[in-house]
Each structure stands twice: as C-alpha cells, then as structure tokens.
Amino acid sequence: MSTTPPPLFALIVEDNPEDAELVVRGLRRAGYDVHWRCVETEDDFCEAIYEKPDIILSDYNLPKFDVTRGLRILEERRLDIPFVLISGVVGEEMAVAAIREGAEDYLLKDRLGRLGTAVRQAIERCQMRSRKAQAESALRESEERFRQVVENIQEVFWMTDPATGKLLFISSVYERVWGRKRADLYADPEVWVRSVHPDDRERIQRAMLLKLRAGALSEEYRIVRPDGTVRRILARAFPVYDDFGELHRVVGVATDITERWELEEQLRQAQKMEALGQLAGGVAHDFNNLLTIVQGYTALLLQRAIDPVEAAQEISLAVERASGLTRQLLTFSRKQVMQQLDIELNTIVADITKMLQRTLTESIKLSVRITPGLPLIRADKSMMEQILMNLALNARDSMPEGGILTITTSAGNINPTEVRGYPDARPGPAVCLTVRDTGCGIPPENLQRIFEPFFTTKDVSKGTGLGLPNVDGIVRQHHGSIRVFSEVGAGTSIQILLPTAVTTTTPAAARKSGAIAPIGGKETIMLVEDEAPLRLIIRMALSRIGYNIIEAGSGQEAANMLQTGNHKLDLVVTDMVMPDGMTGRDLARHLETTHPALPVIFTSGYHAEFTGAADLKEGVNFLQKPYSPQKLARVIRNCLDEVKASSPVPEENASAGR
C-alpha cells in the first residue's frame, strides 16, 4: 500500500547548482515531495524567507552571503524557520558556532545519508517551539484577561493552597476594602484572621474549615480596618478539585456590603415603624383601659370603699399589664444590630400574640397552637418578633371580610433540596413557625414575586411592599428557609424554618434559677431620682428592709453631697435621664474619679440599648422602669454581695484565720 510523500518546500542557499541538485535528490530519497528554490544573495534570501519555506538548507560561505548573516536576518525579523548547515569545508568548531547562532544541525556535502533525519528533526523542533510559543502566548493573554477582570471588579478575589494554607493570589481591591497592604497578607496569612471582628472570628474560622469540605461557603462577617472603622463583608468561597477528586485550590470573592446592609437596615426599620403605627391605636386603647382601672381603684381607696389589699392587688396587676405593653413596644421599635442568642420561639409567639389581639378586627379569630418543649433557636429576638408581626399583619390584610388567623409552632427539618432556593440555609433539625390565613390567597403569577422589595397588590395607603421581603431577608440571615402554600380563595400558609441552636441547655434548664437570697441589708445607699413621688416610694420600700437611704433629686445634687465627704456610701442607684444636665452616666463617670470602688445601678424608662452603653445588663446593673420594689431590692443585694465577695480580706481578719 503506497503512501503519499509529505510535501516539503525547501529554501536552498547555494552558489553551485550541482550541489543544490544533490541536496534535492537526497531529500527525495528520504521520502519528501520536494518543492524548492535556490538563492545565493542576501536580497534573494530576504525575499524568499517570506514565501514560508519549511526548511532552509544553506552552504556555510558564499561569495555574497554566509550562514551567520542568514541566521541574524531570521532573528531580526523574528522568523522561526528551521535552518540546517550543509558544507563541504566546514569544521567542527565552525559548525558549533553556527548552532549557537541558531542553526538546527549541520551536514557535510559528501555525507548526506542523514539528510532526511536531520530535516525531519529540525522541522519537529521548530514545530515544538511554535506550539510552546502559542501556549505561552495564550497563557499570557489568559493571565492578562484574568488580571483585568479581578483588578477592575469591585469584589476582592483570592486563591489559596489548602494543603499549605498559603495565599496564592489576592486582588488589589483588598487594599481599598481592608485598608491594608497585600504584601503584608502574602507574608503572613494570619493578618486576615486578625482583621476579622473578634465577635465573628471563631465562627468564620470554623466555617472555613468545615463548610469548604462539604461544598461552597457563603458567610457574612465584620472586619476592623486599621483606622478602627468596621465594614461588613459577604464572603463566598468554592473548592477546586483536581482530576483525582482531591482538594486542589480554594477560590473565593469577598464583597463589601456595608452600604447595602445599612440601606436594608433602614428599610427594615421603616417597615417596623409602619407596623408599629398600625399597633398604636390598639395599644392606646388598652393602655387607657389600664389607666382607668388604676384611677378607679385609687378613687375607691380614697373613699375607703374597698379593701386596701384587694385594691393594691388589682392596681399592681394593671401596672404589670401596662409595663408589658410598653416593654413590647420599645422592644419592637428599637433600632440595633443583630444580636443572636439561644432563645425560645414559643416565648416570642406568646408575647407578640398579646399585641396582635389589639390589631385584628373583631371579624378575625386568632388561633395560637404552640408545641411545648421545642428546642432553642439561635436568633435575634427583635427580628423574630418582626417576622411574626409582618406575617400576621399581611394575613390580616388578606381577610378584609374576616376569617381565621392561625399561628403554629412545631418541630421541623430543613431539607438539603431547599438550599437551592436558600443557599445560606443550614440543613437539619429546625423549629417551624407557621402563619396561616383563610383569606383571598395569592394568584400563581404573583406567588413568585411576593419577596421582591416594593412589590405589593395592596393600595398605596395600606402597604409599602417591604413586609415579606423583610421577612425573607431576616430568614436568610438566620440560615433558615421559607415555604409558601397558597390557593386563590382558600388562603395562604407561610412556614418559616429556623435551624435549632447548637446548645446543651434545655429551655426548662435555662429558666431554672437558684435559691432566692435574702434581699434586705444594713448598707447605706444613695438614691438619685428626679421624680419626687417615685423617689419617696423607693426610699420607703428600701428603708423597710433595713437599708439607710440618702436621697438626691439630680445628678449635680448627688455630686455636691458626695463632695462634702460626710457620707460613707456602699452603693448608688441613679436614673439615667435627669433634667439638670448631669445624666446618670455623667454621675457614674464622676464617681469613677472620686469613689472608684463604689458600685452603681442605673434605672431608666428606656431599653438599655437606647443608652448606647454596652456594659449595662438588665437585672445586673440596669433596671428598666417600671420595676417592683422587690426586684430592685434583689438587684441591690446581689450587687452588694458581689462587691463583698470580690473585695480583699482585711489583713487583721486574714491573720486571725491563720
């Protein structure tokens, strides 16, 4: 079976036609279909090389041309054409010099038996160089495109080696977002860990270790820049596996979402205030009823027309109900960053449904079905209240003619398939909150849009379209998922699934408290309160259980009294907000200088968060009004006992004990 000889276009540099013919015959004997051109001057050579010959076969030295010049011309014009030296007089030293200049091989004219092999090898080496050059060029172009992309997008792009933990690449946007040098991060990868906010650091490190082994990672966290400013980051990372299924690289992007997060917070707060406005009418109605009860029993007491104990009990009950109303309103309306704690969803539902009773029309029946003993969830209490309130108000609006609103809590499970719709969801055991109505239902064409911001089918006066998107955003932040079931004319059911908390504390154990210690004492307490009637009640209550009370009607009055040095105090109880310009916090700062060891308990009609002081803890060094005298006495006793326990033992007592 015959084969077609491979074509070969040869450029022969030779001034002897017979020698040229000899070379051509040698090529044909080697199996080539030869097309050739013979040149002997530099001008002809320069013209012929642009005809793209497959091989150049050149004598060493011609009268008007030589090998060295030919090789230099190819180099100057960046032409990679295989060049083989053929000469009858060239010595080994001259041949080696030619190869250094770029020749592929050399042959003697009287020994052309190796011509075919030399030509084939020269062409193959040239082709290999060409393929390598093309690959390198493609790589450079790819790297340049990669560089242009990662250096111009707003996200920080990074790549690490999981085996060594070494950072392989990070884009320049890192320096703008983090406020730090890339060179420092390359030198020490722990720079990134140290930049993460201390409250988020352990969680993010654990996620990087565990989640990347199971798949992609998506986490929000805070960083602290060198200037002290805090930025919020959304990090997404993905594992890259090699052909053997081994983890080869970890790549990811980090997006600065600070501005977006702040805008979302504003939208959430606006939605909360919208819901709060709807609550105001019902709350005012109940509050006026409670005031009427207090006023009525007070009048009967003044007339001595009722047993004092019975009247006191009813007034106390009314005050407790009023306190609950104001506490719920303040909790619902306050603006604060997300603070996740292990909490009971049942407790939140029980508290918030008391408020819901006042917002529903008489034609809507509220049914609450709580499953006892549910596990705790890791969540922000205020946000959970916000979810329930938004869902309930949305359900109410879908039943203008009346109906049944059912709120249910139960055990649930987040399925792995739900991660497709909620990529941040944490599959596994969950607590399920279901809000069902018997309203008009949602048409199929609107069902896919209910979580879009500002999408609403209500009148402009009845909604902003932020309620359900707000619910969706909170659920995503808490790694949960949402299921919606709706039928036109039959109502809607929305299920919120929130992952259970990783804790060994059961709800019952969390509520269990130790024995109640005695609440009286003989210590001296300064009471700073600008409301004289309230100051009188507190003084009477504390004096009855043994305390010595010194009163001050303002922060400045208290500071002046302490300056005289006539009072040996054990503790100060002060209101936070007073009219004379010196707040309770100002007084405490003053005492840090004059009486550094003196403990202070603050009281206020606002939440502790309103004061902006992170060190205030309800029931420890802070009491929100209204509070009972018993609660105040218990907090005072605990604080005094803690101070005594932490104080050094006097030297004489220590000696006596030895």
Side-chain angles (χ1 to χ4, degrees):
M1 179 173 154
S2 62
T3 58
T4 303
L8 180 73
F9 175 31
L11 175 60
I12 300 175
V13 184
E14 178 60 69
D15 59 347
N16 186 336
E18 293 180 358
D19 288 347
E21 288 286 353
L22 184 65
V23 170
V24 171
R25 285 196 298 271
L27 292 171
R28 287 173 178 160
R29 281 196 302 271
Y32 287 104
D33 179 13
V34 183
H35 300 272
W36 59 288
R37 176 178 175 180
C38 185
V39 299
E40 55 182 283
T41 66
E42 181 175 332
D43 291 342
D44 291 342
F45 178 84
C46 292
E47 178 185 330
I49 57 178
Y50 286 104
E51 295 178 11
K52 298 182 179 179
D54 298 312
I55 189 80
I56 298 175
L57 304 169
S58 176
D59 195 359
Y60 183 80
N61 194 15
L62 285 71
K64 299 180 180 179
F65 196 52
D66 60 23
V67 167
T68 302
R69 179 58 184 157
L71 290 170
R72 192 168 296 128
I73 289 172
L74 293 178
E75 182 182 5
E76 291 171 353
R77 304 192 183 188
R78 297 183 179 177
L79 295 173
D80 190 7
I81 303 173
F83 196 110
V84 175
L85 171 62
I86 300 178
S87 177
V89 296
V90 66
E92 185 174 336
E93 185 176 334
M94 297 169 61
V96 171
I99 290 176
R100 286 186 185 140
E101 293 288 336
E104 298 286 346
D105 205 343
Y106 75 94
L107 299 169
L108 296 175
K109 289 183 178 180
D110 58 353
R111 298 179 185 177
L112 295 180
R114 199 172 57 84
L115 178 61
T117 300
V119 168
R120 185 182 70 254
Q121 291 177 344
I123 293 175
E124 287 175 352
R125 284 194 293 269
C126 181
Q127 291 173 342
M128 188 179 299
R129 287 196 302 272
S130 177
R131 287 192 296 269
K132 181 180 178 183
Q134 291 174 1
E136 291 175 346
S137 176
L139 179 61
R140 285 193 298 272
E141 290 177 5
S142 176
E143 290 176 342
E144 178 60 21
R145 288 193 297 268
F146 172 81
R147 187 194 65 79
Q148 290 175 352
V149 170
V150 300
E151 297 295 344
N152 287 284
I153 60 175
Q154 297 304 307
E155 288 83 4
V156 178
F157 179 86
W158 53 269
M159 180 186 301
T160 62
D161 181 351
T164 62
K166 182 180 179 181
L167 178 67
L168 302 177
F169 176 82
I170 190 163
S171 60
S172 60
V173 184
Y174 166 83
E175 297 188 350
R176 177 173 58 79
V177 176
W178 262 256
R180 303 172 189 270
K181 296 293 184 182
R182 284 189 292 175
D184 297 339
L185 189 59
Y186 282 122
D188 180 11
E190 291 298 313
V191 168
W192 173 80
V193 176
R194 293 193 293 270
S195 71
V196 177
H197 193 285
D199 293 345
D200 299 341
R201 192 173 297 158
E202 182 180 353
R203 171 175 61 85
I204 294 301
Q205 286 182 291
R206 186 169 60 249
M208 292 292 288
L209 287 173
L210 300 180
K211 288 192 175 182
L212 279 176
R213 297 183 183 276
L217 170 144
S218 179
E219 291 284 338
E220 286 188 22
Y221 62 92
R222 292 164 292 173
I223 61 169
V224 182
R225 291 161 55 95
D227 60 4
T229 58
V230 176
R231 307 295 294 179
R232 286 190 171 266
I233 303 297
L234 171 60
R236 288 160 292 173
F238 309 91
V240 178
Y241 299 97
D242 59 21
D243 295 338
F244 302 99
E246 298 293 331
L247 185 61
H248 177 60
R249 293 283 185 268
V250 175
V251 299
V253 291
T255 307
D256 185 349
I257 60 168
T258 307
E259 284 74 20
R260 189 188 80 186
W261 185 87
E262 290 173 349
L263 180 59
E264 289 174 350
E265 278 295 296
Q266 293 174 14
L267 291 175
R268 279 192 287 270
Q269 190 68 11
Q271 181 64 22
K272 287 167 67 175
M273 299 315 295
E274 179 184 341
L276 188 63
Q278 298 185 51
L279 290 172
V283 170
H285 173 269
D286 273 24
F287 207 84
N288 284 331
N289 285 344
L290 295 172
L291 290 176
T292 303
I293 293 171
V294 172
Q295 190 174 42
Y297 278 105
T298 302
L300 290 174
L301 278 173
L302 291 173
Q303 297 167 13
R304 299 184 179 181
I306 191 173
D307 176 48
V309 175
E310 180 185 350
Q313 289 174 342
E314 292 297 330
I315 290 174
S316 178
L317 182 61
V319 169
E320 281 297 317
R321 291 173 59 192
S323 173
L325 277 177
T326 56
R327 187 175 294 110
Q328 289 170 2
L329 284 173
L330 287 171
T331 297
F332 187 75
S333 63
R334 75 183 186 270
K335 181 178 181 181
Q336 61 180 28
V337 298
M338 185 168 70
Q339 296 181 344
Q340 292 188 335
L341 301 171
D342 291 349
I343 59 176
E344 285 185 272
L345 184 61
N346 284 345
T347 302
I348 294 173
V349 171
D351 289 343
I352 210 71
T353 48
K354 297 174 185 176
M355 302 175 70
L356 287 175
Q357 292 280 7
R358 307 172 189 102
T359 68
L360 303 177
T361 61
E362 294 180 356
S363 60
I364 295 179
K365 177 184 176 182
L366 176 62
S367 174
V368 180
R369 302 171 183 172
I370 289 177
T371 301
L374 291 176
L376 303 177
I377 59 173
R378 184 76 175 172
D380 181 282
K381 181 175 180 291
S382 178
M383 289 185 173
M384 294 301 103
E385 293 169 340
Q386 194 174 341
I387 284 178
L388 184 53
M389 184 61 68
N390 281 331
L391 291 179
L393 294 179
N394 201 65
R396 181 202 65 181
D397 293 342
S398 72
M399 300 183 288
E401 306 300 324
I404 301 174
L405 172 59
T406 305
I407 299 174
T408 306
T409 64
S410 61
N413 192 74
I414 298 177
N415 300 322
T417 55
E418 293 182 275
V419 177
R420 283 178 289 186
Y422 286 83
D424 296 333
R426 186 181 300 143
V431 175
C432 181
L433 169 68
T434 303
V435 177
R436 176 172 175 75
D437 64 68
T438 57
C440 57
I442 305 172
E445 63 271 16
N446 292 339
L447 197 58
Q448 302 299 320
R449 302 187 61 194
I450 60 174
F451 296 121
E452 291 181 13
F454 305 108
F455 174 76
T456 180
T457 57
K458 302 177 186 177
D459 294 338
V460 175
S461 60
K462 292 186 177 181
T464 62
L466 295 176
L468 290 180
N470 191 27
V471 169
D472 182 66
I474 293 174
V475 171
R476 290 177 185 274
Q477 281 183 284
H478 287 78
H479 305 289
S481 65
I482 303 178
R483 300 171 186 166
V484 182
F485 309 93
S486 187
E487 183 179 347
V488 175
T492 300
S493 176
I494 298 181
Q495 292 183 351
I496 307 296
L497 290 119
L498 300 163
T500 58
V502 181
T503 178
T504 57
T505 304
T506 63
R511 290 192 297 268
K512 188 176 181 180
S513 61
I516 299 176
I519 58 175
K522 300 297 183 182
E523 290 88 348
T524 300
I525 297 173
M526 173 171 278
L527 174 62
V528 187
E529 171 61 60
D530 60 294
E531 287 286 344
L534 177 57
R535 194 168 66 243
L536 174 62
I537 293 172
I538 297 173
R539 179 177 61 78
M540 291 173 61
L542 295 179
S543 296
R544 284 185 67 253
I545 56 176
Y547 290 114
N548 178 34
I549 305 300
I550 299 172
E551 298 180 56
S554 68
Q556 191 60 57
E557 182 183 350
N560 293 339
M561 292 172 65
L562 290 169
Q563 192 172 5
T564 63
N566 297 328
H567 304 286
K568 185 179 183 304
L569 299 181
D570 297 290
L571 183 139
V572 173
V573 177
T574 178
D575 190 17
M576 287 290 293
V577 181
M578 290 179 285
D580 68 343
M582 177 177 276
T583 66
R585 180 59 79 178
D586 294 335
L587 175 60
R589 279 193 285 266
H590 175 73
L591 293 177
E592 287 176 1
T593 303
T594 60
H595 298 72
L598 188 62
V600 179
I601 294 174
F602 299 92
T603 68
S604 178
Y606 297 101
H607 269 289
E609 290 91 344
F610 181 86
T611 67
D615 60 329
L616 297 187
K617 296 181 180 180
E618 175 69 31
V620 178
N621 60 351
F622 178 83
L623 278 174
Q624 184 184 341
K625 298 175 181 177
Y627 52 81
S628 68
Q630 292 87 349
K631 185 174 183 179
L632 173 61
R634 189 170 295 113
V635 171
I636 288 174
R637 187 68 263 158
N638 290 342
C639 184
L640 289 170
D641 290 346
E642 184 177 342
V643 171
K644 286 182 179 179
S646 61
S647 299
V649 179
E651 183 63 30
E652 58 270 19
N653 293 344
S655 300
R658 286 198 288 265

